[in-house]
Amino acid sequence: MKTILVNIKTLYTSKQIPPVKGSSMKEIVSIDNAYLVVENGLFQAIGSGVVPEKYLNDAVIVDAMQACVVPGFVDSHTHLVHASSREHEFEQKLAGVPYLEILAKGGGILSTVEKTRKASVDELLHQARKSLQHFLSYGVTTLEAKSGYGLDLETEIKQLQVAKQLDKEGPIEIVSTYMGAHAIPPAYKQNVDAYVTQIIHDLDHIYATGLAEMVDVFCEEGVFSIEQTTRILTKARSCGFGIRLHADEIHPIGGGRLASSMQALSADHLMALPRSDYEALANSLTIATLLPGTSFYLNKPFAKAREMISANMALAIASDYNPGSSPSENFAFTLQLASNKLGLLPSEVLTASTINPAFSLRRHEKIGSIEVGKQADFVL
């Protein structure tokens, strides 16, 4: 049976082959008085005006009532599965205590690690399900979910198992990323290289479970160095994982340049990306994923999105949903920040929240735009 959506005021979508870079990000297709034909979960036809007779047999007609239609949003950076929250740190942030200082004292990520290790699978499922319902209400149909609140193999696998279960339940498609290199466990504080070696050892087991498609590393001063990040991601790539980086978020240590040289799928944050590294990312297939919610909640400078577009980089926008530095599933707010604080045009925001993040998740051939044959993920 077919479903036909009619009386669409305007349908907006990118139809470009990603990664969509620079000035091309504002080039989107708009179709007034549009209709959509969906069959077997795929877009069968897209047009304007009267629906051709050949599609009407055995079809359910749905009136869009002059709503606009866009592709389902793709949130390509979240820390979905975790226990509890960190509102108790808010006053420290207001007092100007740096994020890395909170982390060094056992707060931040390490505070969530302690709670997540103690939480049961059912507790983690319950909390993450609630978050997914919020994401869905704001039009997110595909979401990346990182582990990283275990910092030991057992808890990391527990997080990934929860994400896999939620992906099976639907309706949001979840792409899982292993992030054992999210912080340094207290037991390894004096010997970070030993923890890096442990992560590298664990990667074979993680890959064998089939629970994660990608590996991410927090490449930052006081966390994982360029050399340590390179060791982890080199091993991850040899296993068959896609690779991603938290890069140049606080200090410009060369994470973005490393991402481009290693052909990473995404370099994320980039608030401190030096202009000298723009060209490397622009000449690569790496998506520059900007996370304006993190800048907002940490009261930090926003990434220089307009400069990056002028340099011909391919941008994505994501929420960085997590219990501390970006505690909101409101993806509409994320996109509003992308315009108000990053300076992106609405058409650029659409590209950055659909086809480009889909490319960074290796899903662009089936999602990220409204085109015949693609998965019928769309938002009114």
Side-chain angles (χ1 to χ4, degrees):
M1 182 177 290
K2 294 185 289 290
T3 299
I4 302 177
L5 190 66
V6 299
N7 195 23
I8 300 168
K9 181 179 180 180
T10 308
L11 183 151
Y12 299 97
T13 184
S14 174
K15 285 196 174 180
Q16 299 189 72
I17 298 173
V20 186
K21 297 185 175 185
S23 60
S24 295
M25 287 183 60
K26 65 184 178 184
E27 297 172 8
I28 62 172
V29 174
S30 62
I31 304 172
D32 295 328
N33 189 26
Y35 65 81
L36 278 178
V37 181
V38 175
E39 187 170 22
N40 298 323
L42 304 175
F43 293 119
Q44 185 183 15
I46 302 140
S48 177
V50 178
V51 180
E53 188 73 27
K54 63 181 179 180
Y55 297 123
L56 296 175
N57 293 333
D58 194 29
V60 174
I61 308 297
V62 178
D63 187 353
M65 298 187 290
Q66 285 291 288
C68 293
V69 167
V70 298
F73 294 126
V74 180
D75 190 345
S76 57
H77 184 131
T78 85
H79 300 263
L80 175 70
V81 181
H82 60 265
S84 192
S85 63
R86 299 205 300 266
E87 70 273 10
H88 58 282
E89 295 175 358
F90 188 63
E91 289 187 11
Q92 294 181 65
K93 294 173 186 174
L94 287 177
V97 180
Y99 177 76
L100 291 179
E101 183 177 326
I102 294 173
L103 177 62
K105 293 178 178 178
I109 294 166
L110 295 177
S111 172
T112 302
V113 166
E114 182 181 1
K115 295 179 175 69
T116 304
R117 285 179 175 179
K118 294 176 181 177
S120 68
V121 168
D122 284 344
E123 288 170 335
L124 295 175
L125 280 167
H126 177 70
Q127 182 161 336
R129 277 196 195 102
K130 290 195 297 182
S131 290
L132 285 175
Q133 287 302 311
H134 289 302
F135 275 114
L136 186 63
S137 73
Y138 291 108
V140 174
T141 54
T142 302
L143 175 147
E144 185 255 19
K146 305 178 192 296
S147 66
Y149 290 124
L151 309 185
D152 61 31
L153 185 60
E154 180 183 1
T155 313
E156 293 290 312
I157 287 177
K158 179 171 66 172
Q159 284 187 267
L160 293 170
Q161 288 172 332
V162 168
K164 181 67 74 174
Q165 175 62 34
L166 294 168
D167 177 53
K168 290 177 181 178
E169 293 178 7
I172 293 180
E173 181 175 358
I174 296 175
V175 182
S176 290
T177 296
Y178 166 65
M179 198 175 180
H182 195 194
I184 300 164
Y188 288 90
K189 197 169 184 179
Q190 303 305 318
N191 192 353
V192 180
D193 282 336
Y195 183 56
V196 170
T197 299
Q198 183 62 53
I199 291 171
I200 290 170
H201 179 268
D202 290 343
L203 281 170
D204 286 313
H205 181 75
I206 294 288
Y207 189 76
T209 67
L211 292 172
E213 295 181 35
M214 303 183 190
V215 170
D216 197 342
V217 176
F218 190 1
C219 182
E220 181 56 71
E221 188 175 298
V223 193
F224 296 95
S225 69
I226 291 290
E227 187 275 332
Q228 291 162 342
T229 300
T230 302
R231 287 179 59 201
I232 295 168
L233 294 183
T234 298
K235 171 62 176 180
R237 191 169 54 188
S238 73
C239 289
F241 289 106
I243 59 174
R244 316 174 75 80
L245 284 80
H246 285 51
D248 297 317
E249 176 182 359
I250 302 167
H251 300 286
I253 68 169
R257 187 168 62 253
L258 176 65
S260 62
S261 68
M262 295 196 73
Q263 303 176 52
L265 294 165
S266 183
D268 299 20
H269 286 292
L270 303 177
M271 291 109 79
L273 181 73
R275 291 178 179 86
S276 58
D277 290 352
Y278 285 9
E279 185 177 358
L281 279 167
N283 290 334
S284 74
L285 298 179
T286 301
I287 299 292
T289 301
L290 308 185
L291 311 169
T294 312
S295 296
F296 175 82
Y297 284 107
L298 292 181
N299 201 25
K300 296 293 184 182
F302 288 82
K304 298 176 179 66
R306 288 255 55 95
E307 291 184 7
M308 294 175 181
I309 287 177
S310 295
N312 204 40
M313 290 164 61
L315 306 190
I317 301 298
S319 70
D320 192 21
Y321 167 66
N322 71 77
S325 59
S326 188
S328 174
E329 304 95 333
N330 186 336
F331 200 66
F333 179 58
T334 298
L335 301 185
Q336 189 68 52
L337 288 174
S339 279
N340 284 11
K341 297 299 185 180
L342 299 182
L344 299 188
L345 302 172
S347 54
E348 293 168 336
V349 172
L350 185 66
T351 299
S353 58
T354 55
I355 193 64
N356 273 354
F359 180 79
S360 84
L361 296 178
R362 302 190 293 198
R363 294 292 196 280
H364 57 286
E365 292 185 353
K366 72 169 188 172
I367 63 168
S369 59
I370 297 176
E371 298 181 75
V372 172
K374 282 195 167 183
Q375 190 168 294
D377 293 351
F378 60 93
V379 180
L380 277 72

